Amino acid sequence: MTGIYKKDLIQIRMLWPILLSVSVIVCAALFYADAPIGLISYFPIFLAFQATSTIFADKASGWTRMSVTFPFTRPQLIRSKYFLTLALGTTGFIIGLAMYWIYTLLNGNVQGNTAETFQVNFCIACLILFSSTAIVIPLSYAMKKNQEFIVVIASLLPSVLVLYYWSTTMVTNTISVDQSMSYVEVNMNTPLLSAFAAGSFILFLASMIIMPLVLSRQDLR
Amino acid sequence: MIPALSVRGLNKSFGTFALKGITFEVPQGTVCAIIGENGSGKSSTLECILGIDIPDSGNISIYGINPQENIDAHSLVGVAFDSCPFPENCTAADLQTILKGVFKNWNSTLYSALIEECKIPLHQKIRTFSRGMKAKLDIVCALCHEADLLILDEATAGLDPVIREEMIDQLLNFMQDEKHAILMTSHISSDLERIADYIIFIKDGQIVFIEQKDLLLAEYGMACVSSDQLEYIAGEFIVRLRKQAMNTDLLIRNRAEFSKRYPDYSLRPASLDEIVLMFTRGKTL
């Protein structure tokens, strides 16, 4: 199977100018906004979705049809995309952490960044990454060519809705220190967000186990 | 001897079109060509054999191994399609790295030798290759993991005669080993007449005949007769007939006997193209 992963990594590596350009822009924006913690959400999602882009590229080039003639079962081939997603997502998380660490080294500790903020960003990354890829990977195989846009939008929709719902459960309290001073305390409802993130991971695992078996019974058209 | 490929009772429905009861064998040491008009089921048959489409029923075995039960059967098969399936941003060198990790028996020495022989640039992106170069690369990759059976789906389509000749030479080289076999589809009758041992004619998803190529070309002939002359010809000789404006074309079997019985009737050997045309467009008596 190493050849299959090498092919995907070579394909992703070919896109390095685009990947680098987009990442530089996002990093610059988050650094400017003094919100580098967002990088631990951005990089895992951005890199994990490159695994999905290889599915679209494979279908367009005819590689998908060719790979079925290799000495690997179809479930093995489809599952390789899930494993690639996990690997790229983990790599993205490490890069995001590294970039955040570089920023704090250069600028000192960022105000407002607490363990809770870290947890929230991590959970948002997991929620979007796992729930979206759990849907986009099997849909990419099942849908026809030139429907990539629909597939990506359909896969992001559930996580967007979940995040919207979570945002409505956040509670803000205005606490008065004295007559002239007060501050706003935000309860981020992190247990709920953590539960959603865990649920999305379970959805990803279920998709990884079940969908390759379902898809392997269909014709590759 | 186990056949290189055995297909028994292959059925597959595609909605308005279906493969029905496809049964044939590709013996070791032979080249079998599937011919037929566009949409007759040639590529569909190959795709069912390769597992790209899932047959509704039927048995397929490659050197006695059912690929649905043991996927290692696929390591015995080299495949080339009519379009290059490799990522266009890769180079031939990248492909070597990729395919080495796919096939246990990948032969790097042979790959390098064939790449050089076919004058394929090693470090140039595949998207800059001409159609001929891509086709040659396809065949090279099919040959380099020590496959015993090659399955080629219109692999020489759209290529100039020089490139086709080079590719046929590679295939003939491959067939030096008597264990090897080739199953191919092609519309180019000159290629088939040069390399094929057996011809499988498929029409509307069904096999019409399986015949040795030499026998086919020796047995069948084309006669062009008038309506009056047609009445005198014994029905046993006429495989298919096709009425034209001024005369009738006949596909004749047992050419030698026909020539003896009707020495005044013009008869010439039928080419594969004419045989396909008559079986497709002609009618029975």
Side-chain angles (χ1 to χ4, degrees):
Chain A
M1 287 293 286
T2 57
I4 302 293
Y5 293 111
K6 279 180 189 169
K7 193 277 302 171
D8 289 336
L9 291 174
I10 288 171
Q11 262 181 311
I12 293 168
R13 192 190 67 201
M14 297 286 178
L15 300 173
W16 76 264
I18 300 169
L19 300 180
L20 184 63
S21 306
V22 172
S23 299
V24 163
I25 292 169
V26 171
C27 286
L30 287 172
F31 285 177
Y32 181 75
D34 207 23
I37 196 74
L39 292 172
I40 64 164
S41 296
Y42 162 73
F43 274 110
I45 297 166
F46 184 57
L47 286 186
F49 262 86
Q50 301 313 311
T52 307
S53 74
T54 64
I55 302 174
F56 301 139
D58 289 349
K59 284 180 104 168
S61 69
W63 175 265
T64 305
R65 192 166 74 129
M66 185 66 170
S67 63
V68 171
T69 70
F70 293 159
F72 309 123
T73 61
R74 281 215 232 172
Q76 279 179 303
L77 290 167
I78 297 169
R79 251 181 223 121
S80 73
K81 299 298 183 185
Y82 286 90
F83 288 125
L84 185 66
T85 300
L86 275 174
L88 289 174
T90 307
T91 306
F93 180 64
I94 293 168
I95 293 173
L97 265 181
M99 297 302 293
Y100 174 73
W101 180 73
I102 290 169
Y103 182 89
T104 53
L105 262 183
L106 297 172
N107 296 289
N109 274 325
V110 182
Q111 257 193 344
N113 279 348
T114 61
E116 191 185 38
T117 319
F118 183 91
Q119 187 183 352
V120 164
N121 279 275
F122 179 72
C123 288
I124 290 172
C126 288
L127 175 63
I128 297 175
L129 193 163
F130 290 125
S131 63
S132 302
T133 52
I135 298 166
V136 82
I137 291 174
L139 266 188
S140 301
Y141 280 104
M143 300 284 269
K144 293 178 191 171
K145 283 186 218 177
N146 304 320
Q147 290 179 328
E148 294 92 353
F149 184 70
I150 299 169
V151 165
V152 171
I153 298 295
S155 69
L156 287 172
L157 217 48
S159 53
V160 166
L161 293 172
V162 164
L163 281 172
Y164 174 74
Y165 171 75
W166 163 72
S167 69
T168 63
T169 67
M170 285 199 285
V171 176
T172 55
N173 288 321
T174 308
I175 296 171
S176 298
V177 177
D178 58 33
Q179 278 186 340
S180 60
M181 268 176 46
S182 62
Y183 66 91
V184 175
E185 190 180 68
V186 179
N187 180 353
M188 303 263 249
N189 203 354
T190 42
L192 181 65
L193 184 63
S194 301
F196 282 143
S200 68
F201 182 66
I202 292 168
L203 177 69
F204 178 86
L205 286 180
S207 177
M208 184 169 81
I209 292 166
I210 298 166
M211 292 315 296
L213 298 171
V214 170
L215 291 166
S216 64
R217 294 199 186 106
Q218 293 175 3
D219 295 341
L220 260 177
R221 293 254 157 203
Chain B
M1 196 190 280
I2 307 170
L5 174 68
S6 170
V7 179
R8 300 239 165 270
L10 177 66
N11 291 293
K12 173 68 183 176
S13 173
F14 297 96
T16 52
F17 172 79
L19 296 175
K20 296 166 220 150
I22 302 289
T23 298
F24 66 92
E25 282 184 0
V26 179
Q28 292 183 35
T30 65
V31 177
C32 290
I34 304 180
I35 62 173
E37 62 176 333
N38 288 342
S40 57
K42 304 186 298 296
S43 295
S44 301
T45 302
L46 294 194
E47 287 175 354
C48 284
I49 292 167
L50 292 168
I52 295 166
D53 291 330
I54 314 287
D56 295 333
S57 62
N59 290 314
I60 294 162
S61 72
I62 299 169
Y63 290 92
I65 307 169
N66 182 344
Q68 287 183 341
E69 290 168 11
N70 184 353
I71 199 66
D72 283 338
H74 279 194
S75 61
L76 299 170
V77 182
V79 180
F81 295 110
D82 56 344
S83 58
C84 185
F86 304 121
E88 298 233 306
N89 279 331
C90 289
T91 62
D94 291 332
L95 265 191
Q96 153 114 287
T97 310
I98 292 166
L99 294 175
K100 216 167 151 178
V102 169
F103 296 106
K104 285 180 209 161
N105 292 337
W106 181 259
N107 189 331
S108 298
T109 313
L110 179 61
Y111 184 78
S112 302
L114 287 176
I115 287 286
E116 198 177 318
E117 190 183 324
C118 296
K119 297 189 180 65
I120 296 170
L122 198 56
H123 298 290
Q124 204 172 298
K125 290 199 198 313
I126 291 172
R127 69 176 141 78
T128 63
F129 286 8
S130 65
R131 191 184 160 90
M133 261 195 240
K134 286 181 187 176
K136 284 196 280 189
L137 181 62
D138 231 350
I139 295 276
V140 166
C141 291
L143 290 171
C144 285
H145 62 94
E146 298 186 359
D148 290 327
L149 170 67
L150 286 188
I151 295 183
L152 313 172
D153 189 7
E154 306 277 0
T156 59
L159 302 179
D160 67 59
V162 174
I163 304 282
R164 280 204 336 261
E165 185 75 9
E166 287 176 25
M167 288 175 65
I168 297 291
D169 284 342
Q170 291 294 346
L171 298 179
L172 287 170
N173 224 17
F174 173 79
M175 290 306 298
Q176 295 289 317
D177 187 333
E178 285 184 357
K179 199 186 166 206
H180 291 171
I182 298 176
L183 175 66
M184 60 191 291
T185 66
S186 181
H187 287 298
I188 303 169
S189 50
S190 57
D191 290 349
L192 300 182
E193 283 171 20
R194 191 169 161 217
I195 192 174
D197 298 303
Y198 290 92
I199 301 291
I200 301 168
F201 179 66
I202 192 166
K203 186 184 172 198
D204 297 329
Q206 288 181 287
I207 291 180
V208 175
F209 66 74
I210 302 173
E211 196 62 83
Q212 285 185 37
K213 178 211 67 185
D214 290 338
L215 207 64
L216 208 58
L217 295 177
E219 274 285 296
Y220 285 113
M222 287 295 294
C224 186
V225 301
S226 63
S227 317
D228 298 331
Q229 288 173 315
L230 182 59
E231 286 171 27
Y232 293 103
I233 298 175
E236 70 202 64
F237 288 107
I238 300 175
V239 179
R240 292 285 191 280
L241 61 87
R242 194 165 169 232
K243 285 195 168 37
Q244 307 281 27
M246 303 289 284
N247 45 40
T248 301
D249 290 333
L250 301 176
L251 180 66
I252 301 292
R253 66 162 64 85
N254 202 348
R255 206 168 75 214
E257 187 58 34
F258 182 90
S259 292
K260 267 193 221 163
R261 217 189 285 188
Y262 309 101
D264 295 333
Y265 287 18
S266 83
L267 179 71
R268 57 182 171 74
S271 67
L272 278 178
D273 282 344
E274 285 170 327
I275 293 170
V276 170
L277 184 65
M278 291 301 283
F279 267 96
T280 309
R281 295 275 178 263
K283 295 180 170 39
T284 48
L285 198 59

